[in-house]
Amino acid sequence: MMQFIHKYGSPKYFYQWSKGWQRWLTVITLLLLGYGLYQGLFVAPTDYQQGESYRIIFIHVPAAWMSMFVYMSMAVSGIVALVWRIKVAEIVIGECAVIGASFTALALITGMLWGKPMWGTYWVWDARLTSELVLLFLYFGVIALHSAFENPRTGARAAAILAIVGIINIPIIKYSVEWWSTLHQPATVAKFDKPSMHMSMLIPLLVMAFAFKTYFLALLFSRTRSEVLAREKNTSWVKEIMEQES
Amino acid sequence: MTPKIKQRLIFVMVLIVGFGAAIGLALFAFQKNLLYFYSPSQIASGEVETGQMFRLGGLVVEGSVRRESDGITTVFDLTDTAGSLTVSYTGLLPDLFREGQGIVAQGKINQQGVFVAQEVLAKHDENYMPPEVAEALKEAGAQHPVSMPKTTIN
């Protein structure tokens, strides 16, 4: 385990192995996104109550799932960074925070656009919406802490602590619709009995969710690779790469 | 595992468990304040003081919706299948408002025991299906998907 973390987390080795992953994940993302969007926006039937407006679900739900998934990835790399002091994990915290904040904002904005015609209001302070907004602020806090110190490694450790503490918000978001009465509806797909959604709508939704995941990974690899190069610019292996490329 | 790493791991675990417990206790203490709305049977059991503004959630009873003579006031019954309450609302209703639909209304109870709403929001449920499927379900005698109380009121 330890050797694994140290080997794959060494900046030089990471830069090498992530290159292929980034390329393939980008290709898979484009294929899935194309297929999912076409199926979701043109092929899937209209909803019996909401008509065409429900189609925002194909963006809203994957974005909301990702807002939590990215947070967990960030918190795990926070633990790795804090306990084993892996440089790449420290960089990953910051990159996850930026991507995660974007997904959270996307989920909030698409939700508001759907809420106005369906509920009759853009925003209510129910438990689900409020906890998701708290998640956005947690991401902002991590981004701010990550870059608040002269030494980026100190900043990463401070950000890691906030990321770890903020994990508690994830089950609150997930179960808010079950624990308390909320205006937001309970889970459609992620629950133990069968999904409350017709197959013709569920499949495009799952394809979109998968596309968002590969998109996140591709973006994370790309951003982390750039940051690794920037931080390691004075080492011999980066200088070698620079000479080859120029 | 070096002692240093073990120490850091313990620190992280204490951080998670400690913070989780603190937040858990706080949420437990504020349980009632976190409810977005009350149900008609909660009102019947006297959980809300009369004359106070609060939110009421439930299903619109089938066949109970009627318009007042002024043209914009709607009166309907709201139920959670256990209790029910009459609601009166003057204004535009959201698109999803219909009989059997879950809604959340904000307002107070007047002297006659009618809930006078100032705002009515439609609560969408978690069911998504094409119109033909909804039609087929209805014909098959299955309960109309929107009026499943377990999933709509929680």
Side-chain angles (χ1 to χ4, degrees):
Chain A
M1 166 83 176
M2 290 324 310
Q3 279 171 336
F4 176 82
I5 291 183
H6 281 288
K7 187 179 172 204
Y8 285 84
S10 87
K12 185 183 173 188
Y13 192 60
F14 169 83
Y15 189 79
Q16 289 165 349
W17 70 259
S18 60
K19 191 175 184 183
W21 278 87
Q22 189 201 328
R23 183 175 299 153
W24 282 109
L25 284 165
T26 309
V27 173
I28 295 170
T29 303
L30 289 175
L31 291 176
L32 286 174
L33 212 57
Y35 179 77
L37 276 177
Y38 175 71
Q39 287 289 322
L41 297 185
F42 298 103
V43 180
T46 51
D47 183 62
Y48 74 116
Q49 275 211 323
Q50 307 169 59
E52 303 289 347
S53 329
Y54 92 97
R55 292 188 196 277
I56 205 162
I57 198 181
F58 297 113
I59 301 294
H60 174 72
V61 170
W65 281 342
M66 288 313 291
S67 70
M68 294 187 275
F69 181 83
V70 175
Y71 196 92
M72 288 315 289
S73 316
M74 180 173 81
V76 168
S77 52
I79 294 174
V80 174
L82 208 58
V83 176
W84 290 282
R85 306 280 147 98
I86 304 291
K87 276 188 196 164
V88 170
E90 290 171 2
I91 295 170
V92 167
I93 300 172
E95 304 307 333
C96 276
V98 175
I99 303 170
S102 317
F103 278 129
T104 312
L106 186 62
L108 287 170
I109 291 166
T110 51
M112 285 166 77
L113 292 178
W114 178 88
K116 185 64 182 169
M118 290 303 144
W119 289 342
T121 177
Y122 286 112
W123 187 264
V124 290
W125 293 100
D126 81 349
R128 171 57 74 81
L129 275 65
T130 309
S131 55
E132 183 76 10
L133 187 65
V134 167
L135 185 73
L136 183 64
F137 293 150
L138 274 172
Y139 276 125
F140 287 163
V142 171
I143 295 171
L145 268 182
H146 201 266
S147 52
F149 292 83
E150 201 80 21
N151 178 356
R153 303 203 63 182
T154 318
R157 253 170 261 159
I161 292 180
L162 179 61
I164 292 166
V165 162
I167 293 179
I168 184 69
N169 193 33
I170 298 298
I172 295 178
I173 297 175
K174 175 92 177 67
Y175 294 106
S176 54
V177 288
E178 289 174 30
W179 290 341
W180 305 296
S181 59
T182 53
L183 188 62
H184 193 285
Q185 63 265 35
T188 294
V189 182
K191 57 181 185 182
F192 289 115
D193 46 347
K194 74 176 184 19
S196 310
M197 191 179 215
H198 196 258
M199 271 311 209
S200 54
M201 302 164 169
L202 184 62
I203 289 167
L205 179 62
L206 294 179
V207 171
M208 286 302 286
F210 203 73
F212 271 50
K213 279 213 167 80
T214 54
Y215 173 62
F216 158 62
L217 289 175
L219 197 60
L220 182 65
F221 276 130
S222 149
R223 295 185 63 107
T224 308
R225 281 161 56 81
S226 317
E227 188 61 28
V228 164
L229 278 191
R231 290 213 190 164
E232 303 284 304
K233 60 177 180 287
N234 294 325
T235 59
S236 55
W237 69 271
V238 174
K239 282 180 181 151
E240 247 169 57
I241 293 173
M242 291 307 168
E243 273 160 26
Q244 280 166 13
E245 308 248 320
S246 60
Chain B
M1 200 180 284
T2 64
K4 190 93 193 170
I5 283 182
K6 204 169 174 182
Q7 202 186 335
R8 290 180 195 149
L9 258 179
I10 292 170
F11 167 73
V12 166
M13 276 190 271
V14 168
L15 199 66
I16 295 174
V17 173
F19 217 79
I23 297 285
L25 287 173
L27 288 181
F28 190 72
F30 288 119
Q31 187 79 11
K32 249 182 129 174
N33 304 43
L34 289 167
L35 294 182
Y36 189 69
F37 56 81
Y38 291 94
S39 65
S41 46
Q42 279 176 307
I43 308 304
S45 62
E47 280 188 43
V48 181
E49 277 177 56
T50 46
Q52 195 189 336
M53 178 96 104
F54 65 96
R55 291 192 203 88
L56 177 71
L59 298 169
V60 180
V61 176
E62 307 257 353
S64 73
V65 180
R66 60 190 164 81
R67 292 250 173 216
E68 291 292 324
S69 50
D70 67 354
I72 53 166
T73 302
T74 317
V75 179
F76 53 91
D77 290 342
L78 210 55
T79 180
D80 59 353
T81 66
S84 94
L85 201 65
T86 304
V87 179
S88 149
Y89 174 67
T90 307
L92 290 173
L93 292 160
D95 282 2
L96 276 181
F97 181 93
R98 57 198 72 173
E99 294 182 350
Q101 175 73 37
I103 64 137
V104 175
Q106 184 169 23
K108 345 176 156 173
I109 296 182
N110 68 6
Q111 263 92 37
Q112 287 80 46
V114 172
F115 185 86
V116 181
Q118 293 178 349
E119 184 186 39
V120 169
L121 300 177
K123 180 170 162 46
H124 183 59
D125 64 20
E126 75 277 32
N127 296 301
Y128 293 81
M129 63 183 94
E132 308 86 64
V133 177
E135 203 56 41
L137 269 182
K138 213 171 172 180
E139 273 169 25
Q143 224 183 1
H144 193 269
V146 280
S147 51
M148 279 188 284
K150 192 187 131 275
T151 52
T152 318
I153 300 171
N154 65 327

